[in-house]
Amino acid sequence: MILLHTTRVRRRRLGVAAAAAGLLATMLAAGPAVATPDPGDAPAREKLSAEQAAETRSAIRNGEIPAVDQVVHSDNIEHLANIPKDALPGTNSDLAFQGRYAFAGNYDGFRIFDISNPEQPRTVSQVLCPGSQNDISVSGDLLFLSTDSSRSDNSCSSTTQPATEKSSWEGMKIFDISDKRNPKYVAAVETACGSHTHTLVPERRNVYVYVSSYSPNAAFPDCRPPHDGISVIKVPRESPEESVIVNFPVLFPGEGPDGGGNPGSPTNPGVSKTTGCHDITVLPSQDLAAGACMGDGILLDIENPEQPRVIDRVQDNVNFAFWHSATFNQKANKVVFTDELGGGGAATCNAEIGPNRGADGIYDIVGKGKKSKLVFRSYYKIPRHQANTENCVAHNGSLIPVKGRDIMVQAWYQGGVSVWDFTDSAHPKEIAYFERGPLSDTTISTGGSWSAYYYNGYIYSNDMAKGFDVLKISDRRTDAGERVRMHELNVQTQPDYFDRHGRFDD
């Protein structure tokens, strides 16, 4: 481990009509045999044809899309601050929060910000510890970091090494953050197929970690099919060095070589085969979890955190290519699933792809307990078309805690940040947005907001290329959320913002 010390404009709601032809053909074909991962260390760059580049420049001149790097937003959003990437040049990834601190993952490590003054965040520390994608969470004095790239060992000075070598390492890293200026690497647990993402289920003495990973291969000694479940790690708070895997629950039992999950292409053209989960969101107050598992969406009972059990399972083989993440509403009677069509590196927010692909799927939870069922209601996608040089698709977001309404903020890569209301499950609508113009008007360059979360009255976004952004929304529909104060927030461990009497949980 190495410790390292705008202009506001109005925007027309028009858009570019078509995506890059080659890329579009790839996405609409039979589909990949394995999942397309999130963007890696080397952002994709694909030069457009002269005709496509001219179309993008024309759309910029006509005001249909903002100019390269131009900041635009709705009238009810303010852009308060931006902190560019510093000593960690890799792709920025997820966010977590604790007290006056924000913790920002990066493919090269992580960064800790002091956000006691949200208009002037300042860097407290930066830790160099490469290992994509460095998904990040915090609980008490512990910080958790996912490694989903094959490394020479579990140290922070490791180098890349083929997954075909038995000695290669992937999994969970654990840090002591009792001193925010000097985090200490204290433990590591190797997990099958690494850790693409992880989710915490905290208890008083222990923290359970649900590790999601996917895409096994018979040639990988530590990641062979079938890989049809998640790893469960038990972490003692007082002795994290004793962390151990306590279970690998099979979520998709079946007779085939890949278990019983969605078979994907060619059976279901354009859909990812389920060989694990991408992300799990837990709602501990209700003993519930929702899993986004490549070709499947699932609802789980986590009353026994070591033995999660599937209650219901759904598929969408028409419009969902890759089930990416999940968000419960406050009443726990809805789940929003996201579809990461194109793996986060493609231009899918355009008229050619349409409003139902690369979107959110809103499901009502009907029934109680073990008889609960997920029932589809509608799709949501940002209403502003993006340039054919902008990677854009549904990605990470969180609830805005407003009693009696279902409102969330969400990242859309270069589509920016969207605040939207799904109180009416069948008729969701956007109420605010923030974004930048394309990184390039000639080349598909990967960038944009990876995660956009609401924490203690502000929206924080980790832009893969541009750094850490702070936004403020001022709107009667969301203003009540400012009264909710959290001491800690890991979005995939959803809190119960209101106590059983319906008051704010301060």
Side-chain angles (χ1 to χ4, degrees):
M1 180 187 74
I2 301 176
L3 187 64
L4 308 167
H5 288 289
T6 61
T7 304
R8 186 183 186 198
V9 299
R10 292 300 298 271
R11 172 79 179 282
R12 292 171 60 193
R13 293 193 175 188
L14 302 175
V16 178
L23 182 60
L24 178 62
T26 298
M27 289 190 299
L28 297 183
V34 296
T36 304
D38 292 326
D41 297 289
R45 298 186 68 86
E46 180 180 332
K47 196 168 183 64
L48 302 180
S49 69
E51 180 181 356
Q52 293 159 349
E55 180 183 294
T56 298
R57 289 192 292 271
S58 174
I60 290 173
R61 286 195 305 271
N62 294 336
E64 296 173 359
I65 62 172
V68 171
D69 284 343
Q70 181 184 17
V71 171
V72 297
H73 51 80
S74 55
D75 289 338
N76 53 356
I77 287 273
E78 288 182 83
H79 187 204
L80 300 181
N82 171 261
I83 307 298
K85 291 197 290 189
D86 190 4
L88 302 175
T91 298
N92 280 337
S93 58
D94 211 4
L95 295 169
F97 304 90
Q98 186 181 84
R100 61 188 176 96
Y101 298 101
F103 303 82
N106 178 285
Y107 276 52
D108 285 330
F110 64 92
R111 191 173 183 179
I112 302 178
F113 293 99
D114 183 335
I115 55 171
S116 53
N117 180 355
E119 296 188 24
Q120 295 181 326
R122 59 183 184 85
T123 301
V124 175
S125 58
Q126 298 185 74
V127 173
L128 179 62
C129 193
S132 66
Q133 55 186 8
N134 279 338
D135 191 46
I136 194 167
S137 297
V138 295
S139 183
D141 288 337
L142 300 179
L143 180 147
F144 300 83
L145 208 62
S146 285
T147 299
D148 192 35
S149 59
S150 187
R151 312 295 298 181
S152 56
D153 55 54
N154 65 8
S155 73
C156 284
S157 57
S158 66
T159 57
T160 58
Q161 182 168 290
T164 52
E165 295 188 24
K166 175 62 178 173
S167 62
S168 295
W169 185 92
E170 299 179 67
M172 288 300 309
K173 294 171 181 170
I174 305 171
F175 292 76
D176 183 327
I177 53 168
S178 53
D179 180 356
K180 304 297 187 293
R181 295 183 178 276
N182 186 31
K184 296 179 179 178
Y185 184 13
V186 295
V189 179
E190 187 172 13
T191 56
C193 300
S195 175
H196 194 72
T197 67
H198 69 270
T199 303
L200 305 186
V201 186
E203 294 188 332
R204 289 188 177 182
R205 295 183 179 180
N206 305 298
V207 180
Y208 287 97
V209 185
Y210 290 170
V211 175
S212 296
S213 55
Y214 54 92
S215 293
N217 189 306
F220 300 161
D222 298 318
C223 181
R224 288 176 173 153
H227 183 74
D228 46 12
I230 58 174
S231 298
V232 180
I233 303 174
K234 184 178 181 179
V235 181
R237 290 187 184 276
E238 299 302 320
S239 50
E241 68 280 359
E242 298 177 6
S243 300
V244 63
I245 296 174
V246 293
N247 196 12
F248 186 88
V250 174
L251 305 179
F252 302 98
E255 299 298 327
D258 296 310
N262 196 319
S265 300
T267 303
N268 296 316
V271 178
S272 291
K273 177 169 61 177
T274 298
T275 58
C277 289
H278 181 278
D279 213 342
I280 304 285
T281 293
V282 297
L283 191 59
S285 63
Q286 301 293 325
D287 290 329
L288 283 176
C293 302
M294 304 177 71
D296 293 271
I298 56 176
L299 190 65
L300 300 112
D301 177 348
I302 60 167
E303 183 177 7
N304 180 345
E306 292 189 13
Q307 298 180 354
R309 298 183 301 105
V310 175
I311 299 171
D312 194 29
R313 169 184 169 192
V314 290
Q315 296 178 354
D316 180 346
N317 295 320
V318 175
N319 288 314
F320 259 50
F322 187 86
W323 296 68
H324 176 276
S325 52
T327 302
F328 288 98
N329 69 334
Q330 175 60 31
K331 291 183 178 180
N333 60 8
K334 300 177 188 177
V335 182
V336 174
F337 289 102
T338 67
D339 171 26
E340 195 186 37
L341 173 68
T348 72
C349 296
N350 49 48
E352 188 73 20
I353 298 299
N356 297 337
R357 304 190 69 216
D360 295 316
I362 303 167
Y363 286 75
D364 285 352
I365 301 176
V366 178
K368 297 291 184 182
K370 299 176 183 178
K371 296 183 179 180
S372 296
K373 297 293 182 182
L374 293 165
V375 179
F376 174 77
R377 295 303 187 201
S378 68
Y379 298 105
Y380 170 77
K381 193 170 185 179
I382 56 173
R384 300 169 312 286
H385 290 155
Q386 304 295 304
N388 52 18
T389 60
E390 293 180 279
N391 63 301
C392 175
V393 75
H395 212 236
N396 293 347
S398 77
L399 288 185
I400 296 180
V402 179
K403 186 178 179 182
R405 300 197 71 84
D406 298 324
I407 299 175
M408 69 180 291
V409 57
Q410 186 176 5
W412 289 77
Y413 290 120
Q414 285 194 71
V417 175
S418 177
V419 179
W420 59 288
D421 187 322
F422 61 104
T423 307
D424 181 345
S425 299
H427 300 95
K429 59 183 179 181
E430 184 174 76
I431 61 176
Y433 71 88
F434 166 88
E435 66 171 287
R436 293 179 170 89
L439 290 171
S440 169
D441 59 5
T442 61
T443 302
I444 297 176
S445 302
T446 302
S449 179
W450 177 290
S451 297
Y453 299 147
Y454 188 90
Y455 177 70
N456 291 353
Y458 295 86
I459 295 170
Y460 297 91
S461 167
N462 212 17
D463 187 294
M464 292 191 289
K466 296 297 182 180
F468 183 71
D469 288 305
V470 185
L471 311 174
K472 179 69 172 178
I473 182 169
S474 299
D475 190 287
R476 59 178 178 77
R477 292 163 289 190
T478 62
D479 287 347
E482 297 184 23
R483 302 202 301 271
V484 179
R485 287 292 180 266
M486 306 297 298
H487 173 66
E488 193 170 87
L489 179 63
N490 301 294
V491 168
Q492 287 73 36
T493 306
Q494 279 193 227
D496 184 351
Y497 291 104
F498 309 101
D499 69 14
R500 61 189 177 89
H501 301 293
R503 295 192 297 264
F504 287 105
D505 182 6
D506 294 327

